Amino acid sequence: MTIFRFGYVAMSMQVKNSSPSQTVTFKTFNKYSDREAAIRKLERIAQSNIRNCLRLLKHNKAFDISFFRLSSKLVPLATHEELADWDYLEAIDEDLGELGRFAKGNQMRLDFHPDHFVVINSPKEEILSSSVKTLRYHHRLLSAMGLSAVHRCVLHTGGLYGNKEKALEQFIDNWSRISTQLQKMILLENDDKSFHIEDVLYLCEKLEMPAVFDLHHHQANHHLPEWMDYWERIVGTWHHSQLPVKVHFSSPKNQQQFRHHADYVDANMVMEFAKKVSGSVTQVDCMLEAKQKDLALLKLVNDLKKYKELEWINQSTFSL
């Protein structure tokens, strides 16, 4: 028997005016004649983002949703080179602490998926440096929340740069230049074009990093044997983690836009996956990457109710 827990990404379609990703462009920031006033504006937006995030966690609690991806845009311009002297944590430390206490008090798993410009395997020094700066930002947020940062940030392998084998080795070379503190924070996910699950497992097994399996990406990048052939190895990368195995679920928008995420998630696909892995591991946390966010999660739960063999633990978690 395995427990399957669902989560969703960053924003709610039900809770109005609750965006945790409000922002200001640097161009707009520069229009302020008073730099200190401009910084106070950024801090007010960051405080609003974090408080909105707390509203979302309270909403999630009402539906027993205890798995949630935080927005990486909580603090606008936090990593901009022109604001390197800004101690953004000073203004939001209390709000982040409250957010973390609520999550811990309700046993919620929170994590991040930094944007695509965080590229560990880049051969360009400036891109690697920028990526490390962004990872430090995520680590600072998690620490201010009082949460362990270990295995909280999902990344893709990066670019091919014309030679996949060289790109994989570049990842390993650059990895050795990243602090152990940041290394421990990272999980690696297979993508839909460049690096399939076998590539990711090569890196994860070598560098002792958990592999996040994305079923939709695997289907889009499917020149491999049946994904179940890799499941035991995927689970094996999690043996040194205190967190449950994590997977990503989404459905293709349509056949012409197969790589794009649909509004909702196909219940039959989820059920087929659950049947295949049931009993192989104690728990699987399933992040839904659907356009309709929490509505997609609630619809999926409702759609899965037709399968009588599922035993529902709460409104977002079942065992099989």
Side-chain angles (χ1 to χ4, degrees):
M1 182 173 288
T2 295
I3 294 170
F4 296 86
R5 175 171 63 164
F6 296 127
Y8 69 97
V9 176
M11 300 181 72
S12 169
M13 303 301 289
Q14 289 188 305
V15 184
K16 303 303 180 184
N17 302 314
S18 62
S19 172
S21 303
Q22 303 164 91
T23 191
V24 171
T25 65
F26 186 68
K27 182 178 180 180
T28 299
F29 175 88
N30 256 347
K31 289 180 180 178
Y32 284 81
S33 56
D34 185 334
R35 189 173 188 271
E36 287 303 311
I39 288 176
R40 297 294 86 79
K41 173 69 172 177
L42 294 180
E43 291 173 348
R44 287 194 297 273
I45 292 173
Q47 289 167 344
S48 176
N49 284 341
I50 297 164
R51 289 165 186 165
N52 280 344
C53 196
L54 181 59
R55 289 177 62 203
L56 296 182
L57 294 193
K58 291 178 178 179
H59 161 71
N60 291 351
K61 181 182 178 181
F63 291 95
D64 299 321
I65 299 169
S66 56
F67 184 30
F68 185 66
R69 180 186 298 170
L70 297 166
S71 168
S72 289
K73 299 177 181 178
L74 290 176
V75 186
L77 303 180
T79 60
H80 198 284
E81 58 185 9
E82 296 295 329
L83 287 162
D85 61 328
W86 174 36
D87 183 8
Y88 52 84
L89 282 184
E90 185 176 357
I92 60 175
D93 187 68
E94 186 175 330
D95 293 307
L96 286 172
E98 185 179 2
L99 185 67
R101 286 190 295 274
F102 186 87
K104 287 196 292 185
N106 291 282
Q107 298 180 309
M108 293 180 169
R109 178 180 183 175
L110 304 182
D111 61 17
F112 286 106
H113 195 333
D115 290 332
H116 64 278
F117 56 77
V118 178
V119 184
I120 297 298
N121 79 332
S122 176
K124 295 184 178 180
E125 186 67 31
E126 62 271 23
I127 293 179
L128 177 61
S129 177
S130 175
S131 298
V132 169
K133 183 188 296 186
T134 300
L135 289 171
R136 285 200 200 101
Y137 156 74
H138 286 84
H139 193 281
R140 293 188 77 194
L141 292 182
L142 288 163
S143 296
M145 291 178 209
L147 302 177
S148 168
V150 177
H151 303 153
R152 299 286 182 169
C153 279
V154 179
L155 299 181
H156 290 167
T157 302
L160 284 172
Y161 307 111
N163 186 322
K164 180 186 279 192
E165 289 186 8
K166 186 176 180 180
L168 289 170
E169 295 312 310
Q170 185 72 56
F171 189 104
I172 295 170
D173 289 345
N174 289 353
W175 183 262
S176 66
R177 301 169 58 197
I178 297 174
S179 70
T180 302
Q181 185 182 65
L182 295 184
Q183 287 179 355
K184 289 180 179 178
M185 189 170 63
I186 297 171
L187 311 95
L188 209 58
E189 172 195 2
N190 58 302
D191 65 64
D192 59 351
K193 290 183 179 180
S194 304
F195 296 94
H196 49 59
I197 190 59
E198 192 169 331
D199 300 321
V200 167
L201 285 170
Y202 167 73
L203 292 175
C204 288
E205 290 168 347
K206 194 175 187 70
L207 302 174
E208 296 188 341
M209 177 173 32
V212 176
F213 178 60
D214 189 306
L215 180 57
H216 183 188
H217 287 174
H218 181 80
Q219 291 168 339
N221 194 2
H222 61 77
H223 57 282
L224 290 169
E226 161 63 36
W227 65 265
M228 193 61 190
D229 294 349
Y230 297 94
W231 182 248
E232 185 176 349
R233 291 176 63 191
I234 293 167
V235 171
T237 65
W238 287 86
H239 285 166
H240 59 292
S241 179
Q242 294 185 350
L243 295 170
V245 173
K246 179 183 178 183
V247 300
H248 288 174
F249 285 149
S250 55
S251 295
K253 186 174 182 178
N254 52 52
Q255 285 303 310
Q256 290 70 38
Q257 297 173 294
F258 192 88
R259 290 185 168 89
H260 295 200
H261 293 166
D263 286 346
Y264 300 100
V265 177
D266 176 28
N268 295 326
M269 175 268 292
V270 173
M271 190 62 191
E272 181 183 354
F273 176 91
K275 286 180 177 179
K276 286 184 177 179
V277 306
S278 178
S280 64
V281 66
T282 303
Q283 181 169 326
V284 179
D285 282 350
C286 311
M287 180 57 65
L288 306 183
E289 298 183 317
K291 296 294 185 183
Q292 289 296 310
K293 310 293 183 179
D294 52 340
L295 288 181
L297 190 157
L298 298 175
K299 183 178 186 303
L300 175 63
V301 167
N302 186 61
D303 291 345
L304 287 170
K305 292 291 178 70
K306 67 183 179 182
Y307 294 101
K308 302 305 180 185
E309 61 265 48
L310 301 183
E311 181 179 339
W312 288 93
I313 297 170
N314 57 42
Q315 298 176 81
S316 73
T317 308
F318 69 81
S319 64
L320 176 63

